[in-house]
Amino acid sequence: MNALFLALAVAAAQATGPEAPALPPLTLEQALELARQNPQLAQAQASVMQARGQVGIARSGFLPAGSAGGKAGWTASNLGASPSSVLYDTYSASITLSQTLWDFGRTLGAYLAARDQERAARAGVDAAWNAVELNVRTAYYTVLATEALVAVADQTVASNQRQLDLARGQFEVGQRPRFDVTTADVNLQQSLISQITARDGVILTRIALSQAVGQDVSRRTLLLPAVPQDIDLDVSRLMAEALSARPDLRAAELQISAADQGLSAARSAWYPILGASASYLWNNSRYPVAGGLPAPDSNSWNILGTLTWPFLNGGADMGRVDVQSGVLASSRASRDLLLLQIRTDVEQAVTTVNEARARRAVARKLVGQAKENLELAEARYQAGLGAIIDVTTSQTSYTSAQAQEVKAAFDLAGAWAQLQYAIGR
């Protein structure tokens, strides 16, 4: 049986032993579904909510503004032929409406900038999910790899125990020196230390998986997912897919558009604002006017056109233009850096896939050869024809070959996950 799958089978059998909790296995797809509740995604979605609010604020500039007010009280008057301190009722109310008709792009630029910021935030949610998905896949594969290494360590301990029993038995009948027993015992103790380290690695990687998923899955048995064998490794095609699918690149382009619209809105501050306003005043005051006669009701209304030109504000508008120009330049530079990073991600992922494939093929052959060497060394030692050092060397080579096969197999799975992230799938 292939050493990797044998190791995974042993690890699965241990995980489902009598002391293991009765929990269903956790597939990679289920882990990804659980990760939908990861706080990192909630944070990205909160950014969308904030950006949506900014769109509403910017859109309000297209709509009329209105206000209403009223006053009520008493007024004393000393006017007329007979001044007195009599209090007279005073009531009034007003309503005012105003509408900006044309502001040379202030409102439109602010709205378009806010809209693109919201779209960028939505793309940011997709980018956050891609990052969470990569973390979950990587952590899932790492747990499986460490569990397989535990199984390899268990096999090594069992093999070294058999070698110790054989050396002790042959020593007791006078066929082997005491040196063989002590050497076999040292090998056993070293393999026990490696076993402890491997089991500790499982605990640590399961903690990392729980963090990536966003909830505790440390007691769930994991199942080995299938990794595609026919992976497209053409860099030009992968780059074309990445440029069209990467959500972080889409967000960067929208950030540039938002900064450009913000710059247009800042420049429009140099031009006047045309508007219109209408108001109505209702007055029901009873205090007397000149001559001592009661004041008549004085209701009024008006409709006005307005022209406002803030031509002098101490250079604040020019400063805002400079700020937005810097934001635009920074956004473009960030996009260019991201393009370089995307190419690096794709090329590195392709290289890692090729390298892991090659290592896996060599490691499989190496495991077969190392196993055969160990069997021959053990047979020669049992027959009294070989030395204990030959068995020790062969056992070390076999353990190393198994670990290399495990590492190569899961490095290939991790490289495939990294490639999916690099091209935005």
Side-chain angles (χ1 to χ4, degrees):
M1 181 184 291
N2 182 278
L4 171 61
F5 293 105
L6 176 61
L8 288 175
V10 173
Q14 292 176 345
T16 56
E19 296 181 358
L23 293 175
L26 179 69
T27 66
L28 178 57
E29 290 72 20
Q30 291 171 339
L32 291 172
E33 189 61 30
L34 292 175
R36 293 283 182 181
Q37 306 301 320
N38 191 293
Q40 187 174 345
L41 291 178
Q43 187 178 32
Q45 290 163 353
S47 297
V48 174
M49 186 182 302
Q50 296 174 18
R52 189 186 304 122
Q54 292 296 330
V55 172
I57 293 172
R59 187 188 293 116
S60 67
F62 295 119
L63 304 176
S67 63
K71 295 187 296 183
W74 298 270
T75 302
S77 175
N78 291 326
L79 299 176
S82 302
S84 67
S85 57
V86 177
L87 297 177
Y88 298 92
D89 295 337
T90 302
Y91 305 99
S92 65
S94 64
I95 184 171
T96 301
L97 297 174
S98 62
Q99 173 67 60
T100 299
L101 301 178
W102 183 247
D103 59 4
F104 293 89
R106 284 179 179 84
T107 303
L108 180 61
Y111 169 73
L112 293 178
R115 182 200 63 183
D116 288 341
Q117 288 284 5
E118 183 194 14
R119 293 176 177 176
R122 293 184 183 278
V125 173
D126 295 335
W129 167 245
N130 282 3
V132 169
E133 182 180 13
L134 175 62
N135 290 338
V136 171
R137 288 182 181 275
T138 302
Y140 194 96
Y141 292 138
T142 303
V143 170
L144 289 174
T146 54
E147 289 180 346
L149 290 175
V150 167
V152 171
D154 292 343
Q155 294 177 26
T156 304
V157 169
S159 177
N160 286 333
Q161 182 64 58
R162 290 194 304 271
Q163 293 170 15
L164 176 60
D165 294 340
L166 177 61
R168 183 178 288 123
Q170 293 193 356
F171 167 72
E172 290 175 352
V173 297
Q175 295 182 358
R176 292 290 177 177
R178 176 66 180 172
F179 173 77
D180 286 11
V181 177
T182 57
T183 299
D185 196 17
V186 168
N187 294 337
L188 176 60
Q189 300 309 314
Q190 289 178 340
S191 63
L192 287 172
I193 291 176
S194 298
Q195 184 186 56
I196 294 171
T197 302
R199 289 177 176 174
D200 185 62
V202 171
I203 297 174
L204 295 177
T205 55
R206 281 188 168 273
I207 292 173
L209 176 60
S210 296
Q211 182 181 14
V213 170
Q215 53 185 286
D216 184 15
V217 294
S218 60
R219 299 172 67 85
R220 302 282 292 273
T221 301
L222 307 187
L223 302 178
L224 180 65
V227 177
Q229 300 301 315
D230 53 341
I231 304 175
D232 183 9
L233 298 179
D234 185 88
V235 173
S236 59
R237 286 198 298 268
L238 293 173
M239 274 299 301
E241 183 175 353
L243 294 178
S244 63
R246 283 279 292 252
D248 49 352
L249 180 59
R250 186 165 66 252
E253 295 288 357
L254 288 168
Q255 291 284 1
I256 292 175
S257 177
D260 190 39
Q261 295 296 341
L263 178 59
S264 176
R267 286 173 174 166
S268 68
W270 297 332
Y271 301 102
I273 302 173
L274 301 177
S277 66
S279 63
Y280 179 79
L281 174 64
W282 172 78
N283 194 345
N284 188 22
S285 300
R286 297 304 181 184
Y287 62 87
V289 296
L293 299 175
D297 294 341
S298 54
N299 302 331
S300 64
W301 60 270
N302 63 66
I303 299 178
L304 303 173
T306 61
L307 173 63
T308 305
W309 193 348
F311 63 89
L312 186 64
N313 62 359
D317 291 336
M318 184 63 71
R320 294 186 184 96
V321 170
D322 291 341
V323 169
Q324 287 302 130
S325 297
V327 171
L328 178 58
S330 176
S331 298
R332 286 173 174 165
S334 297
R335 187 270 317 273
D336 294 341
L337 286 173
L338 181 57
L339 287 172
L340 294 175
Q341 185 61 50
I342 289 174
R343 173 166 289 279
T344 300
D345 291 344
V346 171
E347 292 179 346
Q348 285 183 345
V350 169
T351 301
T352 305
V353 169
N354 284 325
E355 185 261 349
R357 276 179 172 176
R359 280 195 294 113
R360 184 183 61 174
V362 174
R364 284 176 174 174
K365 184 177 181 180
L366 181 62
V367 166
Q369 293 174 339
K371 183 179 180 181
E372 183 179 1
N373 285 344
L374 177 60
E375 291 172 348
L376 290 174
E378 288 179 338
R380 284 173 55 82
Y381 184 79
Q382 189 170 6
L385 301 176
I388 189 65
I389 190 64
D390 297 332
V391 178
T392 300
T393 302
S394 299
Q395 179 64 63
T396 302
S397 298
Y398 182 51
T399 301
S400 175
Q402 287 180 302
Q404 290 181 46
E405 184 185 17
V406 169
K407 187 175 187 306
F410 286 102
D411 282 352
L412 178 58
W416 176 77
Q418 185 66 47
L419 180 60
Q420 301 307 297
Y421 171 79
I423 61 180
R425 286 185 185 172

